Amino acid sequence: MPYRCIVPAKIENLLVAGRCISADFMQNLQFESLVPVWQSSEAAGTAAALCVVKHKSPRDLDANLLRQKLASQGVCLEQFVYNTPLVDEK
């Protein structure tokens, strides 16, 4: 998920996580399981810590720096593709 999904467009110094992220219907379906919810929460918490250390607002934080930090913490950043159809194909 892109970092911009957890940075609100109109509110400064706020990060969101879980099902309240900015996503379209199909992306939001991934948040039915706990893994993406955990990953967005981990990203938001790590981003908040980096913002404090780097003296940056969430909007100004370098997403590549966040990815590097998450990877060093062992967070899986690989994209998963779900092959389960949304409707029963018969």
Side-chain angles (χ1 to χ4, degrees):
M1 109 185 53
Y3 175 60
R4 68 181 177 272
C5 289
I6 65 173
V7 180
K10 297 181 180 178
I11 301 173
E12 291 297 323
N13 297 318
L14 179 69
L15 294 165
V16 296
R19 296 206 61 186
C20 60
I21 69 161
S22 174
D24 67 17
F25 175 75
M26 296 299 290
Q27 291 169 326
N28 212 12
L29 287 177
Q30 294 180 19
F31 282 83
E32 295 294 324
S33 75
L34 290 179
V35 173
V37 172
W38 170 79
Q39 288 173 326
S40 69
S41 300
E42 184 80 15
T46 302
L50 285 171
C51 287
V52 170
V53 170
K54 299 291 184 180
H55 304 287
K56 300 266 186 184
S57 72
R59 192 169 319 286
D60 296 329
L61 185 66
D62 181 10
N64 289 321
L65 176 64
L66 176 58
R67 279 188 212 93
Q68 291 171 359
K69 185 66 172 173
L70 289 169
S72 74
Q73 294 172 342
V75 176
C76 179
L77 299 175
E78 302 211 11
Q79 186 177 35
F80 293 97
V81 177
Y82 297 99
N83 292 324
T84 307
L86 293 177
V87 294
D88 212 7
E89 294 179 2
K90 291 184 180 181

